[in-house]
């Protein structure tokens, strides 16, 4: 049945939803009930002013009656029928289904989108299993241990009388393998558990350094006052387990000590009390550059500032070098972050300070005031391209007001924003997932 011949069916459906009798609708639009009955049974065509009057009474757009469901809904119904692979599905009557039963048609289309979304999620997890070496190694350990236990148990169960020496050996192997399986399973669960109570699973040197800084509250008063050396802090830190992490930690503490010498704690806190968290004013007071001010603000001891601050540093490739988390702020360390963050925008304009209010997409649209700047490392030299780093200071916005905020996400894979020019790939959170 053609779409334009279903107008009457849609009128009847909408009238029933609104709770109007046929006679009442006919009276309100100035026609007889018998004529409206012919229209609703698709025996009379309708258009023009009469269609507009009926749509107005029913509280819908005239196009909803004349055209029915949107093209996207019809396309979704046909796609669902095609994916089902059932030859008896009446795909040529999708218009009639959408016109007569729009609610059920929406449910069917939503279910198909939901299934497709879940399938993509499974593909994503499969991709993670393929490319995540730690996860693959953990699963291999679990599977190999389970196979060993199964083999030992099979020998004990299927073999007849065993010499006591061999039986004790198999029992000992079974006990050791089961303990190893329990430990491997706990480690795997801890790795997959994203909650704050999960065991810390640092792998990269930068992650170990971030855990080291977090354990000290990002502040080292003994180091500032000369009561302890940076080397001692690094060598005795339980968070820095690898040589690479200790090397990175040494560099971070050296930079921390230089910033503290340029901006001592007491004078710096007094300057913040006078000027607030104004990076430009603080840079002028201490005659330092903005990156130093950003780092110093992020290194204040707990309670020294009127509000919580976060910090992110990256190189010119966009790789995150350091990250101090902030409540409600989500910027992934690994993978491809949202390019709309001012941290990355600053790389396009080195030495130009950028201030942006951004809205973090999620369950709640948290807003942050971001200050960013990119700067070259070392002294400029002829015929040598400079190496740039970018730094971003993040402040929470408690009262968003009417100020326009730039929507940003964590990464394209988990960002629900569809109309984004910066999108690189579809999101697994689309289609209501």
């Amino acid at each position: 049945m053609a779409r334009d011949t279903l107008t009457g069916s849609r009128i009847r459906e909408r009238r029933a939803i609104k709770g109007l009798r046929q006679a009442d609708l006919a009276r309100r639009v100035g026609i007889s009930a018998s004529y409206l009955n012919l229209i609703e049974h698709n025996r009379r065509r309708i258009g023009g002013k009469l269609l507009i009057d009926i749509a107005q009474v029913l509280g819908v757009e005239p196009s909803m009656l004349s055209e029915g469901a949107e093209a996207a809904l019809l396309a979704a119904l046909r796609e669902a029928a095609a994916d089902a692979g059932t030859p008896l599905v009446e795909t040529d009557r999708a218009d009639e289904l959408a016109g007569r039963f729009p609610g059920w048609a929406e449910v069917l289309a939503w279910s198909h989108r939901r299934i497709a979304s879940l399938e993509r999620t499974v593909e994503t997890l499969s991709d993670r299993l393929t490319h995540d070496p730690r996860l693959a190694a953990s699963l291999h350990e679990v599977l190999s241990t389970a196979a060993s236990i199964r083999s030992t148990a099979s020998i004990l169960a299927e073999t007849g009388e065993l010499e006591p020496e061999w039986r004790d050996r198999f029992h000992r192997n079974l006990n050791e393998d089961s303990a190893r399986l329990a430990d491997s399973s706990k480690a795997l669960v801890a790795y997959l558990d994203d909650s704050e109570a999960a065991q810390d699973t640092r792998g990269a040197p930068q992650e170990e350094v971030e855990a080291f800084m977090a354990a000290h509250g990002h502040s080292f008063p003994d180091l500032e006052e000369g009561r302890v050396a940076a080397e001692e802090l690094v060598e005795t830190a339980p968070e820095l387990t690898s040589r690479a992490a200790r090397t990175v930690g040494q560099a971070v503490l050296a930079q921390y000590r230089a910033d503290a010498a340029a901006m001592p704690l007491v004078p710096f806190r007094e300057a913040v009390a006078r000027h607030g968290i104004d990076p430009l004013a603080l840079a002028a007071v201490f005659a330092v550059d903005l990156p130093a001010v950003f780092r110093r603000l992020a290194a204040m001891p707990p309670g020294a500032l009127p509000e919580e601050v976060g910090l992110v540093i990256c190189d010119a490739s966009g790789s995150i070098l350091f990250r101090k988390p902030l409540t409600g702020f989500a910027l992934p360390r690994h993978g491809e972050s949202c390019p709309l963050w001012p941290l990355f925008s600053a790389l396009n304009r080195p030495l130009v300070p950028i201030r942006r209010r951004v809205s973090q997409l999620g369950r709640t649209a948290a807003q942050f005031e971001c200050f960013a700047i990119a700067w070259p490392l070392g002294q400029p030299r002829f015929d040598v391209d400079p190496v740039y780093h970018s730094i971003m200071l993040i402040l929470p916005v408690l009262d968003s007001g009417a100020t326009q905020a730039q929507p940003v996400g964590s990464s394209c894979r988990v960002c629900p924003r569809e109309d984004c020019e910066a999108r690189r790939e579809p999101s697994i959170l689309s289609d209501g997932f």
Side-chain angles (χ1 to χ4, degrees):
M1 187 178 294
R3 293 180 64 188
D4 58 357
T5 62
L6 294 172
T7 303
S9 298
R10 300 183 190 107
I11 292 175
R12 183 172 69 252
E13 183 71 23
R14 294 290 175 176
R15 177 178 60 77
I17 294 175
K18 198 171 180 63
L20 282 176
R21 294 187 306 168
Q22 195 176 69
D24 294 335
L25 176 59
R27 183 179 66 256
R28 294 176 63 174
V29 298
I31 60 175
S32 65
S34 59
Y35 185 63
L36 178 59
N37 183 64
L38 293 175
I39 292 176
E40 289 188 350
H41 285 83
N42 301 303
R43 296 178 183 176
R44 293 291 186 274
R45 292 186 177 274
I46 180 177
K49 184 177 182 300
L50 179 57
L51 178 63
I52 295 175
D53 292 341
I54 293 178
Q56 184 176 4
V57 174
L58 297 177
V60 297
E61 292 292 329
S63 60
M64 290 295 297
L65 301 177
S66 61
E67 300 177 8
E70 296 180 351
L73 175 59
L74 297 175
L77 292 174
R78 295 190 178 100
E79 183 180 355
D83 290 346
T86 304
L88 299 180
V89 175
E90 301 165 320
T91 56
D92 58 332
R93 302 186 66 181
D95 291 7
E96 184 176 356
L97 173 63
R100 297 185 61 185
F101 307 103
W104 283 110
E106 288 286 356
V107 170
L108 180 60
W110 178 88
S111 299
H112 177 258
R113 291 194 298 265
R114 174 73 171 176
I115 293 172
S117 178
L118 292 174
E119 289 175 347
R120 288 195 298 271
T121 302
V122 172
E123 293 175 358
T124 301
L125 296 176
S126 300
D127 182 71
R128 179 186 177 189
L129 175 61
T130 303
H131 296 94
D132 190 331
R134 178 162 185 171
L135 180 58
S138 299
L139 286 176
H140 177 74
E141 174 71 12
V142 170
L143 293 175
S144 62
T145 307
S148 177
I149 293 175
R150 177 70 181 89
S151 176
T152 303
S154 176
I155 293 174
L156 290 172
E158 298 175 3
T159 306
E161 292 294 331
L162 289 174
E163 296 181 5
E165 180 182 355
W166 281 100
R167 186 179 64 247
D168 293 342
R169 181 179 299 179
F170 282 129
H171 284 161
R172 184 168 57 254
N173 292 342
L174 194 62
N175 178 65
E176 294 174 354
D177 287 342
S178 61
R180 185 157 61 99
L181 178 61
D183 293 339
S184 301
S185 301
K186 289 179 181 178
L188 180 59
V189 170
Y191 180 68
L192 295 175
D193 189 359
D194 292 330
S195 67
E196 294 181 357
Q199 178 183 348
D200 195 2
T201 54
R202 300 180 297 276
Q206 289 83 359
E207 291 177 330
E208 295 186 27
V209 172
E210 289 176 11
F212 165 65
M213 299 293 289
H216 289 269
H218 292 84
S219 178
F220 300 85
D222 291 341
L223 180 62
E224 294 186 34
E225 298 174 8
R227 293 194 297 266
V228 66
E231 295 78 8
E232 181 181 351
L233 286 172
V234 169
E235 292 300 328
T236 58
E239 298 84 8
L240 306 178
T241 60
S242 64
R243 180 179 179 182
R246 289 190 291 271
T247 301
V248 175
Q250 284 274 23
V252 170
L253 289 184
Q255 184 67 74
Y256 177 96
R257 188 165 47 191
D259 294 338
M263 294 166 282
L265 180 59
V266 175
F268 191 79
R269 294 182 65 172
E270 293 174 350
V272 172
R274 291 195 306 269
H275 302 283
I277 303 181
D278 185 340
L280 289 176
L282 296 173
V285 170
F286 293 95
V288 296
D289 56 20
L290 282 177
V293 174
F294 291 177
R295 292 190 299 263
R296 191 59 174 150
L297 285 169
M300 286 291 97
L305 297 177
E307 55 190 336
E308 185 184 11
V309 302
L311 187 75
V312 183
I313 304 175
C314 76
D315 61 17
S317 71
S319 299
I320 304 301
L321 304 179
F322 182 81
R323 181 182 57 173
K324 179 187 177 184
L326 182 68
T327 303
F329 167 76
L331 183 66
R333 164 168 290 287
H334 304 289
E336 300 160 334
S337 303
C338 176
L340 299 179
W341 282 101
L343 174 73
F344 306 122
S345 301
L347 290 168
N348 297 323
R349 293 184 288 169
L351 299 176
V352 177
I354 295 177
R355 179 176 182 175
R356 294 283 186 277
R357 177 168 292 193
V358 302
S359 175
Q360 175 82 61
L361 296 176
R363 292 183 179 178
T364 58
Q367 291 192 8
F368 302 92
E369 198 75 31
C370 296
F371 303 84
I373 190 170
W375 78 102
L377 302 181
Q379 294 294 326
R381 292 180 291 170
F382 293 108
D383 301 325
V384 177
D385 293 333
V387 177
Y388 288 99
H389 280 184
S390 181
I391 187 170
M392 180 172 68
L393 183 74
I394 311 152
L395 305 178
V397 177
L398 303 179
D399 184 12
S400 59
T403 305
Q404 187 73 18
Q406 165 69 46
V408 297
S410 174
S411 65
C412 290
R413 285 299 273 169
V414 293
C415 178
R417 186 183 177 206
E418 297 181 357
D419 55 339
C420 178
E421 296 180 353
R423 176 168 291 283
R424 294 182 293 264
E425 58 181 338
S427 170
I428 64 173
L429 301 182
S430 60
D431 298 332
F433 176 69

